[in-house]
Amino acid sequence: EVGEPFKEEKAVAKYLRFNCPTKSTNMMGHRVDYFIASKAVDCLLDSKWAKAKKGEEALFTTRESVVDYCNRLLKKQFFHRALKVMKMKPDKDTKKEKEKGKAESGKEEEKKSKKESGKDEKTKKEKEKEKKKDGEKDECKKDDTPGTPKKKETKRKFKLEPHEDQVFLDGNEVYVWIYDPVHFKTFAMGLVLVIAVIAATLFPLWPAEMRVGVYYLSVGAGCFVASILLLAVARCILFLIIWLITGGRHHFWFLPNLTADVGFIDSFRPLYTHEYKGPKADLKKEEKADSKKQQKYDSEEKSDSEKKEEEDGKTEGTRNSGTDGSGGERHSDTDSDRREDDRSQHSSGNGNDFEMITKEELEQQTDEGDCEEEEEEDTESGPSHGKS
């Protein structure tokens, strides 16, 4: 026979209920909270009952003492043991998936064998480039992430069922709570709500100033709510007008997040959004797709173009060797032309110098004879012929 729980047992169960980590799930069509046995033992070992007081011994000294006490709580129906049953996929679905995978892999291998037979030379070069790129990417990843890469953890679904052996065991056993006391916060919130309802019913007894203030507050709150509703209707009307005028090409929303599930401030930003959904947008998408295809074709044709360039270089070298003789004659002709140009430049320069000198000499040597002038001309003409 199990008697009623003592005050100490209620206090320990209440502490364990609100301090031990719990999770919620469905069991037999009901929403329940459950905890793990090992975490409950750790929680009680860190409680005040695990510390010795003056003149009294500690209630929990070892894990075995905690397990014995929890067995008492289980017998007094504070919680009960549950069995965790994992949900498995049916065998039929797994077999179908395997057969589909094999069929698809066989088709892909046949297609690949046909393509590779016609493009062996091109694929070899492309594979070598891809291997180099993959090696560089792997090195970058190793540098960025020190240590082994973590695999994604897949959570397996399970359900709870009542266990036949109702015994508390220290480990990964699951226990479902039956004891559900009222928390202090919920009690306080309920008390405040009751006081607010009583105060609202006593509104006629409030002072006149408080009643006027509440009236203005209620009117202001009503106006604010009405303005939000009017804005929501007006933005829809504005969207329809613009959509009809432009034939569905322009999508303009004023305050797009006004009715969205966001915060109060986020519902008023951004101020507007605009999207153009016409023929130009479709053309841009097609152009982007064409540009990507052209890039792929260019990368495939590069290997062929490189071979052609090498062959052209060889043919040009042979042609240049045959045309060396004709090139020598042309060089001789161009040299003679250059010499004639140099002579003309020198003669023009000397003539200018002669004119400048004669003006100064005519002013200084007006009384000299004709013989002296002839000698100066001879001396000036001599170096000019030498220069030429």
Side-chain angles (χ1 to χ4, degrees), residues 156-170:
R156 297 178 67 185
K157 294 182 180 181
F158 63 91
K159 60 181 180 178
L160 296 178
E161 293 180 357
H163 203 284
E164 293 179 358
D165 297 331
Q166 292 296 319
V167 181
F168 189 87
L169 299 173
D170 187 7

Side-chain angles (χ1 to χ4, degrees), residues 186-230:
T186 56
F187 179 77
M189 291 295 291
L191 185 63
V192 170
L193 184 63
V194 170
I195 292 168
V197 170
I198 293 168
T201 56
L202 297 174
F203 181 74
L205 300 176
W206 288 15
E209 295 177 354
M210 290 179 69
R211 283 183 287 173
V212 171
V214 170
Y215 171 75
Y216 284 119
L217 285 173
S218 61
V219 170
C223 292
F224 178 75
V225 173
S227 64
I228 295 294
L229 294 173
L230 290 172

Side-chain angles (χ1 to χ4, degrees), residues 291-307:
S291 64
K292 289 181 180 178
K293 289 180 181 178
Q294 286 176 1
Q295 288 177 359
K296 290 181 180 178
Y297 289 126
D298 293 337
S299 63
E300 292 178 355
E301 290 176 356
K302 278 182 181 178
S303 60
D304 297 333
S305 63
E306 287 175 356
K307 291 180 181 179

Side-chain angles (χ1 to χ4, degrees), residues 74-85:
L74 187 142
K75 289 177 181 178
K76 293 186 178 181
Q77 296 182 357
F78 285 99
F79 48 81
H80 65 87
R81 189 181 178 186
L83 181 64
K84 189 186 287 186
V85 180

Side-chain angles (χ1 to χ4, degrees), residues 238-286:
L238 182 64
F239 175 81
L240 284 171
I241 291 167
I242 295 169
W243 187 80
L244 291 171
I245 291 169
T246 59
R249 294 179 180 179
H250 293 274
H251 290 208
F252 181 83
W253 281 105
F254 178 72
L255 295 174
N257 292 327
L258 186 65
T259 57
D261 188 11
V262 294
F264 179 77
I265 296 170
D266 293 332
S267 60
F268 293 97
R269 58 186 184 185
L271 187 63
Y272 66 91
T273 56
H274 176 259
E275 291 182 5
Y276 178 73
K277 296 183 179 180
K280 289 183 179 179
D282 297 333
L283 290 171
K284 287 180 180 178
K285 290 180 181 178
E286 291 177 358

Side-chain angles (χ1 to χ4, degrees), residues 86 151-157:
M86 306 304 294
K151 295 181 180 179
K152 292 181 179 180
E153 295 180 357
T154 57
K155 293 182 179 180
R156 297 178 67 185
K157 294 182 180 181

Side-chain angles (χ1 to χ4, degrees), residues 6-13 16 44 49 59-60 63-75 78-79 168:
F6 299 105
K7 289 182 180 180
E8 187 182 26
E9 292 174 349
K10 286 183 179 180
V12 172
L16 193 63
L44 290 176
W49 291 281
L59 185 62
F60 305 123
R63 297 184 74 87
E64 292 177 356
S65 62
V66 176
V67 170
D68 293 336
Y69 198 89
C70 289
N71 273 314
R72 288 167 56 187
L73 296 177
L74 187 142
K75 289 177 181 178
F78 285 99
F79 48 81
F168 189 87

